[in-house]
Amino acid sequence: MRGKAVNRGGSMPDRPESKLPRRHRAMSGYPTDEERRENHEEGTDIWSRRKFLTYTLGGSGAVLAAGMLGAAPFAKDAMTVNAATYGGGNGGPGSECSPFTTKQFSSVASMKAASCPEGIVVRTSSYYEIANGAAESPRGGTIYRIVARSEYDALRGNALGPTDARNGSGCIDHLLASGNVAVMFRDGAVDLAAVGLREQSDAYAAGNSAAFQAALAYPLPVLIAYGTYAFGSESIADLGQNGELDISGECRFRLAAGKIVNTDTNYGNHTAILRVQGGKRFSIRGVAFDGNRDGQTYPATRNSFGRGTVPRRTNGVLEVCPSGSAYRTQLAIVERCTFENAYLSGAMFIQSDNVIIRNNYSSDNTINGFGGAGFGSLLFEGNISRRDGWSDIYTSDRYEGDRAQLQIREWPKDYTAATEGIPVIAIAESERNKQIVVRGNTCDQAGVIGIFVRSCEQCLVTDNTIRNTGYKRRSGSYSPTAIWGDFGKFTISGNDVITQAVQPGDMLPDGIRVVGFTGNGIDRTGGPWISMRGRYYSIVSDNRIACGQTFGTGAFDDNASKRLLNNKGVIITSQCLVRGNVIEGCANIPIEAINDDNFSNEALRDIGICGNEIFNTTGSSVINLRSYGSPAGNPRNFDISGNKVYDVRSATAGSDARQMVQFSPAWVTVEVQDVTVADNRFYCLNTGDATKNYGGVRFRGSSGSRGIVIRDNQFFDTLNAVRTESFAELGIRGNTVRNGLRLLYADISTGGDAGKLSIDGNNCSGITSQCVNLNAGASGKILSEFTAIGNSWSGSGSTYSGVTPGVSPAAYNMDRNIDTMTTRIVPRRTFSGVPAFNAQHLGEIVRSADGPADYIAVQVGTGAGDWRIL
């Protein structure tokens, strides 16, 4: 129940005591962010917010309500203290309505030692006595009302004492020498200095932790702080189901040195600065968290340490998790805060319903800047990160775990409060994340990963800038990666991934990796813990992956002037569309698709690679379709269209193993179905040494592969424009080939038989070897049908090669081709004796083994032998 707004013209109306909750209460008249927006007000301004605030604060249901800043209510001498007294009116010290002047004390200690009668109001200049005025200034002075102890106990429902946290442990309300109680007057928000926190020195850490814990346990919904505070232990705010807590201020919370001490024999320690459990709403603004990681003790050799089963996923200097009574945090807001130097991670969120992390700064955290698991929703927006995921003490060489500016994972069902050391909610199956939005963030020099999201039903990663990923990453089973979406449905769009420099010895980073999900992923003891079912599709679009390319004094095509600072550009799995990306400066493969080897272990399928611009690479291939393990099913449904590939070259001469489009060598015995490679521009960098150029498309599949179409592409300065082994149906149509070895090299002898081949409407010039080379060796049938219609052949090589060895095709159809090759060869079937042609083959030019003449078969009847040689 919220209190009513303050009536500035009179006293606050009484409210029934029995209906007030026992824990943290909502603020009276407290506007929501949406209401603030409607009123054009700044929601993060604590001073503008105060005019809305009154408080209903009670440990047992009694009312301890405060008035407004500058309008503090006072009780007259000898007035009976009751609920109305706590609620107050509109008077205050020095105001026209105030009937008296307050007493002034230098500190809380001097106030407690004085004889203060009930019913008066007193002031303190500082919380502590100032021993050295030159070194310390007065801080934490505030206003107190003096009430009788019996009245206080009746209203609070329990006795005041130094061990009673709910009444402040003597940090907030104070028992006086007279036996009365000084009740802190709360004027809209409580400064932490007013409850006993002291600045700067680690010597104050123990007292600061006790005072902070008292403030969190006492029902004070809004806390503010200014200055730097050291803490020697973690403080916990358990908000239950409906509690609310707001912490604001321009301040720094620093973990004292030596408060996390891990050794090889005692490695399970972790100390947070603040943990918030459950609650309806938690917000924190303007607070800097400093984990003081160089002041902590790491194990000498152990790789995994910290509280919890997988400590990197749960340990932070700020932690948000369920309450001890198993209620989730319904809304958590973190804005304009700083998280740095964390022993493990900055801020961690476990099993939270809705989280907003906006306009924060994180740096130099050993594992993550931000992280968590089991989100209902997360908005991660406008945050800046520098060198999260690395440490000189705990290097990335020692541990291969994921580290990131942001790391989101599923919450495993077998994690418990006992295994993790924090309250968690028991679940029947692991919790995937529901909706994640990562937008407009900046990440510089992440140690391993910029943004990592795993097990998510719907994730949008957009408009982020990630620079120089992989700081001090020297070894690992995978390369550092700017953006990684793992298992789920992802849209990764409009991001800038830039590698401007790589530290000597560091690994080159990958750009974007997306692992989709297909199948029935059930929980498994010990992991993986994914609980997802179905088929999830992802999109990687309109991203830029670059080196911030600069050129030296050399020409544009001078290899020495080009940067190759990225490893791979985009790595995807099945059910993914890669569209409209600009990928530059990859020393390895710019785009790679690989089956994810997840629970269904399904072959790669449903891939679209369309409209991308790829340049400046020396990788083993440009677009690579790769098979992992022994997946079930047939690879199928590939659309590789509208891409521009240029400025690719090899540093050394070699064979045509380097391809623009590379199909997996593992597929030579597998039926590959429904492939379109169309409307692409494949340009090699013409260095004057053609042996350093790439091939175009290398298709691999068994003799049952069908639906393979390679059309309307441009192949400039390539080796073989198309190379294949076997197929059932292959169409090569409308392509332009300039200055290459061949249009087609069909190395059938290595992969079995070939079926129907159509080579139609291609324009080939500058061919230096053969336009078409069908290499069958002494194997079985070469082709069932071979047509070549409307092509233009020119160059210094020959038209055809390798057609006649082995068993010739059943049919040729070669019509209207323009052949100006230096060596013009028209393939003929050769026969000895009387060939048995069916009527459908009549009209074909054939050659007799008994003489040099060529003949045309002419139909004279309808039977198999009704033909003659013209």
Side-chain angles (χ1 to χ4, degrees):
M1 160 180 169
R2 294 184 181 271
K4 296 181 180 178
V6 171
N7 179 0
R8 299 185 66 86
S11 61
M12 181 182 294
D14 293 341
R15 285 162 287 186
E17 299 176 9
S18 60
K19 295 183 179 180
L20 298 175
R22 299 187 61 192
R23 297 299 303 133
H24 291 254
R25 291 296 312 275
M27 285 70 75
S28 172
Y30 195 105
T32 64
D33 286 343
E34 189 173 350
E35 290 168 340
R36 292 192 191 100
R37 285 192 295 269
E38 291 174 355
N39 295 328
H40 306 286
E41 298 178 40
E42 175 56 58
T44 59
D45 186 352
I46 187 66
W47 301 111
S48 66
R49 191 184 310 127
R50 287 184 182 179
K51 57 188 160 186
F52 294 101
L53 303 182
T54 57
Y55 299 91
T56 55
L57 310 174
S60 64
V63 176
L64 294 176
M68 299 300 294
L69 179 64
F74 287 82
K76 296 181 180 180
D77 290 336
M79 180 178 180
T80 302
V81 180
N82 54 30
T85 303
Y86 285 98
N90 65 343
S95 72
E96 295 179 358
C97 300
S98 177
F100 55 86
T101 301
T102 63
K103 289 187 177 182
Q104 187 79 28
F105 294 97
S106 60
S107 67
V108 169
S110 61
M111 176 187 70
K112 292 170 70 172
S115 296
C116 297
E118 62 181 276
I120 71 167
V121 172
V122 303
R123 288 182 181 271
T124 56
S125 301
S126 176
Y127 191 93
Y128 295 100
E129 293 285 357
I130 305 303
N132 184 351
E136 294 186 82
S137 13
R139 289 195 77 242
T142 189
I143 303 172
Y144 297 88
R145 297 185 187 85
I146 309 303
V147 302
R149 174 65 181 271
S150 59
E151 293 283 349
Y152 184 89
D153 288 347
L155 290 170
R156 296 293 295 161
N158 60 312
L160 176 72
T163 60
D164 191 337
R166 288 198 300 167
N167 285 335
S169 294
C171 297
I172 299 172
D173 298 338
H174 302 279
L175 182 63
L176 307 180
S178 62
N180 294 324
V181 179
V183 180
M184 180 186 290
F185 173 76
R186 294 167 292 284
D187 59 0
V190 175
D191 188 345
L192 289 177
V195 301
L197 272 71
R198 302 181 73 173
E199 284 194 89
Q200 299 294 339
S201 175
D202 282 3
Y204 302 143
N208 281 346
S209 297
F212 194 26
Q213 181 62 66
L216 294 171
Y218 196 83
L220 299 173
V222 179
L223 303 173
I224 62 173
Y226 303 95
T228 300
Y229 302 95
F231 296 92
S233 60
E234 61 188 12
S235 299
I236 299 173
D238 194 323
L239 305 181
Q241 182 177 11
N242 293 311
E244 300 192 5
L245 175 63
D246 186 347
I247 301 177
S248 302
E250 302 300 325
C251 62
R252 176 174 291 269
F253 290 170
R254 179 176 175 272
L255 189 63
K259 297 308 173 185
I260 303 178
V261 179
N262 277 318
T263 67
D264 288 332
T265 57
N266 183 15
Y267 51 82
N269 297 316
H270 181 73
T271 300
I273 295 176
L274 171 62
R275 189 195 310 156
V276 177
Q277 301 176 176
K280 182 178 182 180
R281 181 182 182 279
F282 162 63
S283 69
I284 185 165
R285 297 176 175 87
V287 178
F289 287 84
D290 181 355
N292 188 18
R293 68 178 182 181
D294 291 341
Q296 312 306 324
T297 301
Y298 287 73
T301 60
R302 187 174 179 84
N303 287 337
S304 180
F305 54 91
R307 183 202 69 224
T309 304
V310 184
R312 66 182 180 272
R313 301 182 191 174
T314 58
N315 295 176
V317 289
L318 171 65
E319 297 176 348
V320 177
C321 65
S323 69
S325 49
Y327 292 109
R328 298 174 188 269
T329 301
Q330 298 173 51
L331 175 62
I333 303 172
V334 181
E335 294 181 313
R336 297 186 298 106
C337 292
T338 297
F339 298 87
E340 56 189 355
N341 304 315
Y343 182 72
L344 288 175
S345 295
M348 301 296 291
F349 302 81
I350 303 300
Q351 293 182 302
S352 299
D353 278 346
N354 304 288
V355 177
I356 298 172
I357 302 173
R358 186 161 47 198
N359 300 334
N360 303 281
Y361 176 74
S362 63
S363 71
D364 301 297
N365 298 293
T366 303
I367 304 297
N368 306 306
F370 299 87
F375 286 89
S377 71
L378 167 66
L379 173 61
F380 189 80
E381 181 179 46
N383 302 286
I384 297 173
S385 166
R386 183 177 182 273
R387 292 188 181 179
D388 281 329
W390 79 281
S391 170
D392 279 330
I393 297 174
Y394 181 54
T395 67
S396 59
D397 282 346
R398 291 181 54 199
Y399 190 63
E400 304 305 337
D402 302 323
R403 308 174 184 199
Q405 175 191 22
L406 173 68
Q407 182 181 169
I408 304 299
R409 287 182 170 268
E410 75 281 5
W411 183 250
K413 67 175 183 179
D414 50 356
Y415 281 14
T416 66
T419 63
E420 306 311 303
I422 56 175
V424 301
I425 296 174
I427 49 179
E429 64 178 27
S430 299
E431 287 187 63
R432 56 192 176 275
N433 302 288
K434 302 299 189 302
Q435 184 180 47
I436 306 293
V437 175
V438 182
R439 180 172 61 205
N441 304 282
T442 300
C443 176
D444 195 2
Q445 295 180 284
V448 181
I449 301 172
I451 296 167
F452 180 92
V453 179
R454 173 180 162 101
S455 185
C456 187
E457 292 182 354
Q458 188 173 23
C459 178
L460 172 64
V461 181
T462 185
D463 296 328
N464 302 282
T465 298
I466 302 179
R467 298 188 184 95
N468 304 321
T469 304
Y471 184 74
K472 293 195 177 183
R473 174 76 164 184
R474 303 290 169 84
S475 66
S477 56
Y478 54 83
S479 297
T481 304
I483 300 173
W484 190 323
D486 200 48
F487 289 159
K489 176 185 177 183
F490 300 94
T491 299
I492 300 177
S493 178
N495 303 282
D496 274 352
V497 177
I498 305 173
T499 306
Q500 298 165 306
V502 176
Q503 300 266 348
D506 286 3
M507 300 174 71
L508 298 182
D510 294 334
I512 297 172
R513 181 185 293 262
V514 175
V515 179
F517 183 85
T518 298
N520 183 16
I522 57 174
D523 288 294
R524 302 182 182 183
T525 302
W529 300 282
I530 308 291
S531 289
M532 300 182 73
R533 295 166 177 82
R535 186 178 295 274
Y536 294 80
Y537 285 76
S538 295
I539 297 173
V540 180
S541 68
D542 304 311
N543 303 283
R544 182 177 70 135
I545 301 171
C547 293
Q549 187 69 46
T550 59
F551 297 96
T553 58
F556 177 81
D557 60 356
D558 180 2
N559 292 346
S561 69
K562 299 180 183 300
R563 290 179 177 175
L564 294 166
L565 301 181
N566 292 310
N567 182 44
K568 297 180 181 179
V570 176
I571 304 102
I572 60 171
T573 58
S574 295
Q575 297 95 235
C576 191
L577 172 62
V578 181
R579 179 185 63 203
N581 302 281
V582 176
I583 304 173
E584 178 264 333
C586 292
N588 207 324
I589 301 166
I591 299 179
E592 182 171 59
I594 178 173
N595 58 295
D596 53 28
D597 193 39
N598 63 23
F599 306 108
S600 64
N601 199 25
E602 187 179 58
L604 191 63
R605 57 172 289 183
D606 300 330
I607 298 292
I609 301 174
C610 306
N612 303 283
E613 183 172 349
I614 304 168
F615 62 100
N616 184 26
T617 182
T618 60
S620 60
S621 56
V622 178
I623 298 172
N624 187 39
L625 307 178
R626 178 182 165 203
S627 183
Y628 175 81
S630 301
N634 297 326
R636 62 193 184 277
N637 196 15
F638 302 105
D639 182 7
I640 301 172
S641 303
N643 302 288
K644 289 199 304 181
V645 180
Y646 59 95
D647 192 8
V648 298
R649 79 282 183 200
S650 173
T652 59
S655 67
D656 63 341
R658 298 179 302 276
Q659 306 288 331
M660 301 285 190
V661 181
Q662 180 90 274
F663 286 73
S664 176
W667 293 347
V668 295
T669 60
V670 179
E671 292 185 9
V672 181
Q673 301 171 2
D674 300 325
V675 174
T676 299
V677 182
D679 300 301
N680 302 285
R681 296 174 62 187
F682 296 130
Y683 291 6
C684 282
L685 178 64
N686 189 353
T687 63
D689 184 355
T691 63
K692 295 182 179 181
N693 288 351
Y694 279 58
V697 178
R698 184 161 188 175
F699 173 78
R700 290 181 173 94
S702 72
S703 55
S705 298
R706 61 189 67 251
I708 318 301
V709 177
I710 301 171
R711 62 172 177 81
D712 301 319
N713 303 285
Q714 298 179 30
F715 299 93
F716 285 12
D717 297 300
T718 61
L719 298 175
N720 296 309
V722 180
R723 180 172 178 175
T724 184
E725 272 78 13
S726 296
F727 51 84
E729 298 172 357
L730 173 61
I732 303 175
R733 304 187 181 101
N735 301 284
T736 299
V737 180
R738 183 183 301 169
N739 302 332
L741 284 179
R742 305 174 180 91
L743 168 65
L744 171 65
Y745 177 36
D747 195 10
I748 302 171
S749 61
T750 63
D753 295 340
K756 180 179 180 180
L757 172 63
S758 300
I759 301 178
D760 303 330
N762 301 283
N763 187 346
C764 302
S765 62
I767 301 298
T768 60
S769 187
Q770 307 92 23
C771 294
V772 177
N773 184 346
L774 304 180
N775 180 23
S779 68
K781 182 173 58 179
I782 299 175
L783 297 167
S784 62
E785 183 178 337
F786 177 29
T787 66
I789 301 175
N791 301 286
S792 175
W793 315 119
S794 67
S796 60
S798 60
T799 312
Y800 296 98
S801 175
V803 176
T804 55
V807 178
S808 296
Y812 285 115
N813 188 350
M814 298 184 181
D815 192 12
R816 297 184 301 278
N817 298 298
I818 300 174
D819 188 348
T820 61
M821 296 294 294
T822 300
T823 304
R824 284 169 292 191
I825 299 175
V826 178
R828 303 285 188 265
R829 284 198 299 162
T830 301
F831 65 92
S832 177
V834 181
F837 283 102
N838 291 320
Q840 62 182 345
H841 304 137
L842 298 181
E844 177 190 348
I845 298 176
V846 296
R847 173 169 293 169
S848 171
D850 301 328
D854 292 343
Y855 302 94
I856 298 177
V858 178
Q859 180 179 2
V860 296
T862 59
D866 293 337
W867 67 279
R868 67 182 175 86
I869 295 177
L870 179 63

